[in-house]
């Protein structure tokens, strides 16, 4: 193939020169600017190859401190804090989508260059801070032999793990540092192809229902709609009997789910489609309406039709809901956590943190940071504010944020980084000088730093 | 041996002819699967087209290289007129084929469309023209004692 690719270079250069470039549109907030669709012959690909932090740290706002509380993990994704303060980290890498087209092979090689060479752990690690000084005293394997675990939930003394192909329940006793008992399968999850393999998980506040985010099996239906049965949906699962139903649909890749603390509504961050240009389609944060249809694959942001789907479905387009809040195109939002009652203090007292893994398919990279979406009255109320940055350096990725988790009792934000295989902890600076406050309840207001 | 013995041989050597067989077979097949996709919207047909075009492009690249070498150093030197036309046809087929591969790499219904269909027709016609040119031309080599 070398000869072919070399011979093709002049044409690639020619066509790439015609590829659309970003116009610097404002694509965050309640009403993002959506440009015209621009399908270039050769989609832009800008991979940020992994590099180390080399002793440096991500950038935090003035008055905050960041430290690594776990290193040498094996592709950390989402996290969970147990009642005793132990932190669980799901580690793994899934997806066994067969390569159906020449493009799948080429894209797989290129995207692989932006990933950590470490093999996914297929396990859950436990991080324990015994003395409350903010440092990890024990890092150990909690559950092993999983299959690309991603979503985690704790309900009624049991730990639920969403593998890429099933939802498992593990019995937990307070203080345990490992679970060797085989888990009990609650239900199988849609796993054929698994183009988007991550299974996000959260529990309703009363613990009676679980919600599982199941991504689409393609960018925009190009594997045929038969492959999209039970895909691009959020499932509602009854943990008692494992029965499930579709709670919302047309929601392309819901990568993180959380209930808000104000109205106990389900929210999701969602990754939207590619190859319509560098500024289409913005990923979004939205409250999830029961029975709601969010457009995929027929349309996006409500009724903007995607011509790549055939036959089109005008009746479905007419039903499509516009999401609440745009995060920017191709930022690859993978983490979501809410804060309230002072939260992380300062400008970060009430709202949602969103982990943005970062783009690979636009020339001007987007994402590669953790942002804060301020809320008031239970709704997003302003532009996103950068919270944790510095992941990109000279076009290389020192890290890439995935899951984010507000650990309310300890007043810290945890961020999983699947390139440097680290969990970062960010605290308001005043608090680290007072470890005795580490068990403060979330209800008390955070101290201004 | 007589003093002016002449020997006629095909313009394309056996390996050259084998390389040419790939675009002759695969581009028309890709055109057929394109048409089937446009008629049925069943995704597997455009997947077939993508592989057929990719493999055809690969061998057309080798063919173009072979034809160039033949033009400057091989038997095609003996028939410059026809060979020039043949070279242009093969080069045009390769360029069109590569652009068509990128066109077909678009997702879903965008993978074929008018542009993809037209390029598949062009590649098919050029492959047949190339085969006709090369197989209807002989070069005559005189053996001088």
């Amino acid at each position: 193939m070398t000869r072919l690719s070399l011979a093709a270079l002049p044409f690639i250069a020619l066509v790439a020169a015609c590829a659309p470039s970003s116009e610097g549109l404002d694509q965050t907030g309640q009403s993002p600017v959506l440009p015209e669709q621009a399908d270039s012959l050769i989609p832009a690909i800008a991979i940020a190859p992994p590099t180390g932090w080399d002793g440096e740290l991500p950038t935090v706002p003035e008055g905050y401190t960041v430290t690594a509380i776990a290193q040498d993990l094996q592709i950390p994704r989402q996290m969970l804090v147990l009642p005793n303060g132990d932190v669980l980290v799901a580690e793994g890498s899934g997806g066994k989508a067969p390569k159906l087209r020449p493009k799948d092979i080429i894209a797989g090689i290129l995207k692989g260059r932006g990933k950590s060479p470490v093999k996914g752990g297929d396990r859950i690690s436990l991080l324990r801070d015994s003395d409350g000084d903010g440092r990890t005293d024990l890092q150990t394997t909690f559950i092993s032999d999983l299959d690309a675990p991603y979503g985690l939930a704790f309900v009624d003394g049991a730990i639920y793990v969403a593998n890429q192909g099933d939802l498992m329940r593990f019995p937990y006793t307070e203080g345990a540092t490992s679970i060797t008992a085989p888990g009990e399968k609650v239900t199988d999850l849609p796993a054929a192809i698994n183009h988007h393999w991550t299974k996000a998980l959260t529990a309703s506040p009363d613990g009676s229902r679980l919600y599982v985010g199941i991504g689409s099996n393609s960018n925009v239906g190009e594997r045929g709609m038969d492959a999209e049965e039970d895909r691009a949906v959020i499932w509602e699962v009854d943990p008692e009997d494992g029965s499930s139903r579709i709670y919302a649909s047309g929601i392309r890749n819901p990568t993180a789910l959380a209930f808000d603390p104000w109205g106990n509504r389900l929210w999701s961050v969602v990754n939207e489609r590619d190859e319509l240009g560098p500024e289409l389609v913005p990923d979004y944060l939205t409250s999830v309406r029961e029975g709601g249809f969010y457009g995929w694959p027929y349309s996006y942001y409500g009724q903007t039709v995607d011509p790549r789907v055939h036959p089109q479905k005008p009746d479905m387009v007419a039903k499509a809901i516009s999401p609440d809040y745009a995060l920017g195109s191709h930022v690859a939002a993978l983490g979501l956590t809410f804060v309230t009652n002072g939260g992380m203090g300062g400008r970060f007292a009430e709202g949602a943190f969103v982990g943005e893994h970062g783009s690979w398919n636009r020339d001007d990279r987007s994402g590669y940071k953790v942002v804060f979406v301020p809320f008031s009255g239970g709704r997003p109320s302003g532009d996103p504010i950068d919270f944790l940055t510095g992941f990109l350096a000279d076009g290389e990725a020192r890290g890439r944020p995935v899951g984010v988790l507000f650990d309310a009792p300890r007043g810290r934000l945890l961020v999983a980084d699947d390139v440097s295989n680290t969990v970062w902890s960010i605290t308001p600076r005043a608090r680290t000088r007072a470890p005795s406050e580490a068990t403060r309840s979330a209800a008390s207001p955070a101290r201004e730093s | 041996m007589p003093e002016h013995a002449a020997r006629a041989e095909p313009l394309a050597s056996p390996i050259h002819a084998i390389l040419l067989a790939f675009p002759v077979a695969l581009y028309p097949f890709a055109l057929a699967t394109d048409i089937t996709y446009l008629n049925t919207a069943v995704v597997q047909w455009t997947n077939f087209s993508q592989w057929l075009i990719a493999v055809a492009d690969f061998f057309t690249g080798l063919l173009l290289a072979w034809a160039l070498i033949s033009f400057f150093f091989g038997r095609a030197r003996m028939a410059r007129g026809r060979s020039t036309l043949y070279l242009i046809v093969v080069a045009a087929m390769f360029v069109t084929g590569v652009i068509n591969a990128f066109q077909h790499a678009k997702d879903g219904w965008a993978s074929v469309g008018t542009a993809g269909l037209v390029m598949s027709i062009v590649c098919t016609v050029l492959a047949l023209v190339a085969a006709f040119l090369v197989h209807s031309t002989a070069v005559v080599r005189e053996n001088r004692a």
Side-chain angles (χ1 to χ4, degrees):
Chain A
M1 291 302 276
T2 311
R3 179 186 296 281
L4 173 64
S5 48
L6 283 179
L9 275 178
F11 313 116
I12 293 173
L14 175 77
V15 183
C18 309
S21 58
S22 302
E23 299 160 43
L25 302 175
D26 178 11
Q27 297 205 293
T28 56
Q30 281 92 336
S31 46
V33 180
L34 301 178
E36 292 289 307
Q37 294 161 5
D39 59 336
S40 58
L41 201 51
I42 299 169
I45 294 186
I47 306 290
T51 179
W53 285 97
D54 204 15
E56 293 183 46
L57 296 168
T59 309
V60 286
E62 183 64 37
Y64 291 81
T65 306
V66 57
T67 54
I69 61 161
Q71 287 176 310
D72 301 321
L73 292 165
Q74 295 172 1
I75 318 296
R77 305 288 189 172
Q78 301 292 341
M79 295 163 294
L80 178 70
V81 177
L82 295 174
N84 70 344
D86 288 349
V87 177
L88 301 186
V89 187
E91 301 160 77
S93 233
K96 297 175 183 74
K99 296 187 173 12
L100 290 184
R101 307 192 283 162
K103 174 191 191 176
D104 297 338
I105 295 173
I106 295 165
I109 293 168
L110 292 175
K111 286 168 75 175
R113 291 170 49 212
K115 293 178 182 169
S116 159
V118 172
K119 194 174 172 298
D122 285 336
R123 66 177 187 187
I124 290 170
S125 284
L126 176 139
L127 313 176
R128 174 170 293 175
D129 171 12
S130 312
D131 48 12
D133 65 354
R135 292 194 197 89
T136 299
D137 305 305
L138 175 69
Q139 177 176 338
T140 184
T141 300
F142 185 65
I143 305 175
S144 53
D145 295 327
L146 296 167
D147 179 21
Y150 187 82
L152 299 171
F154 182 80
V155 181
D156 290 340
I159 290 162
Y160 289 84
V161 178
N163 286 314
Q164 65 171 332
D166 52 29
L167 178 61
M168 303 290 291
R169 171 171 45 224
F170 292 88
Y172 172 73
T173 43
E174 175 109 13
T177 56
S178 73
I179 294 180
T180 50
E184 179 190 352
K185 184 187 286 187
V186 178
T187 178
D188 282 317
L189 298 174
I193 302 174
N194 260 354
H195 176 100
H196 290 125
W197 62 269
T198 62
K199 299 297 190 293
L201 180 65
T202 197
S204 60
D206 66 0
S208 67
R209 292 290 182 273
L210 298 171
Y211 296 84
V212 184
I214 301 161
S216 67
N217 252 339
S218 61
N219 177 28
V220 63
E222 71 276 8
R223 278 193 172 85
M225 291 309 287
D226 291 347
E228 305 298 343
E229 184 79 30
D230 269 324
R231 306 301 300 216
V233 296
I234 294 172
W235 266 15
E236 183 182 71
V237 178
D238 182 343
E240 293 296 318
D241 61 8
S243 62
S244 60
R245 67 181 184 106
I246 292 176
Y247 185 78
S249 62
I251 191 158
R252 183 173 173 275
N253 190 14
T255 48
L257 302 171
F259 277 83
D260 74 57
W262 307 285
N264 284 338
R265 286 164 309 168
L266 179 64
W267 291 71
S268 179
V269 288
V270 181
N271 291 348
E272 258 292 353
R273 64 204 71 194
D274 300 327
E275 291 187 40
L276 288 176
E279 290 176 312
L280 282 178
V281 173
D283 297 341
Y284 58 83
L285 165 69
T286 194
S287 56
V288 181
R289 289 192 225 165
E290 183 172 357
F293 174 74
Y294 288 82
W296 190 89
Y298 307 105
S299 64
Y300 54 84
Y301 268 84
Q303 277 74 38
T304 310
V305 171
D306 192 322
R308 297 172 295 179
V309 187
H310 188 89
Q312 295 184 0
K313 293 260 181 78
D315 53 324
M316 297 299 282
V317 172
K319 285 197 292 185
I321 300 171
S322 247
D324 293 334
Y325 189 92
L327 296 163
S329 296
H330 311 297
V331 298
L334 296 183
L336 173 64
T337 190
F338 286 102
V339 297
T340 186
N341 285 331
M344 291 287 288
R347 292 176 295 164
F348 311 104
E350 182 144 323
F353 286 100
V354 175
E356 299 179 350
H357 200 228
S359 68
W360 58 272
N361 48 10
R362 58 185 288 180
D363 288 329
D364 53 331
R365 295 184 180 84
S366 61
Y368 293 96
K369 60 188 176 184
V370 175
V371 300
F372 180 75
V373 178
F375 273 55
S376 75
R379 309 293 306 172
S381 64
D383 290 335
I385 306 166
D386 285 356
F387 185 71
L388 193 65
T389 58
F391 287 88
L392 276 180
D394 302 326
E396 295 188 312
R398 302 199 282 190
R400 297 179 79 177
V402 189
V404 293
L405 182 62
F406 179 55
D407 178 3
R410 278 148 291 275
R412 60 180 179 171
L413 183 78
L414 304 177
V415 177
D417 171 346
D418 72 354
V419 162
S420 69
N421 289 304
T422 305
V423 173
W424 302 103
S425 167
I426 300 98
T427 46
R429 188 165 294 150
R431 192 164 296 134
T432 54
R433 296 199 199 104
S436 59
E437 285 193 9
T439 51
R440 247 171 17 95
S441 99
S444 60
R447 185 187 302 176
E448 285 291 331
S449 51
Chain B
M1 287 284 249
E3 202 171 291
H4 30 248
R7 194 154 60 89
E9 47 184 27
L11 181 60
S13 67
I15 291 176
H16 189 155
I18 290 170
L19 292 175
L20 177 58
F22 283 89
V24 169
L26 300 184
Y27 283 132
F29 198 0
L31 174 60
T33 52
D34 273 358
I35 291 168
T36 310
Y37 177 60
L38 292 174
N39 283 330
T40 62
V42 173
V43 167
Q44 194 68 330
W45 291 110
T46 175
N47 292 344
F48 286 145
S49 292
Q50 289 167 45
W51 285 109
L52 291 165
I53 291 166
V55 176
D57 287 352
F58 175 70
F59 282 99
T60 304
L62 295 179
L63 175 68
L64 179 58
W66 198 281
L68 277 169
I69 291 166
S70 175
F71 185 82
F72 288 110
F73 307 110
R75 43 182 92 166
R77 280 179 304 161
M78 315 297 175
R80 274 277 156 93
R82 275 257 165 141
S83 293
T84 306
L85 181 59
Y86 172 70
L87 205 55
I88 291 169
V89 169
V90 171
M93 175 166 67
F94 179 65
V95 172
T96 311
V98 169
I99 295 174
N100 202 21
F102 282 106
Q103 167 67 30
H104 274 72
K106 292 182 184 177
D107 286 339
W109 195 240
S111 62
V112 181
T114 309
L117 182 67
V118 167
M119 282 189 277
S120 289
I121 292 171
V122 168
C123 284
T124 297
V125 170
L126 291 176
L128 296 174
V129 168
F132 189 86
L133 283 174
V134 89
H135 291 312
S136 63
T137 307
V139 291
V140 178
R141 276 193 186 170
E142 288 184 31
N143 294 333
R144 296 205 178 124

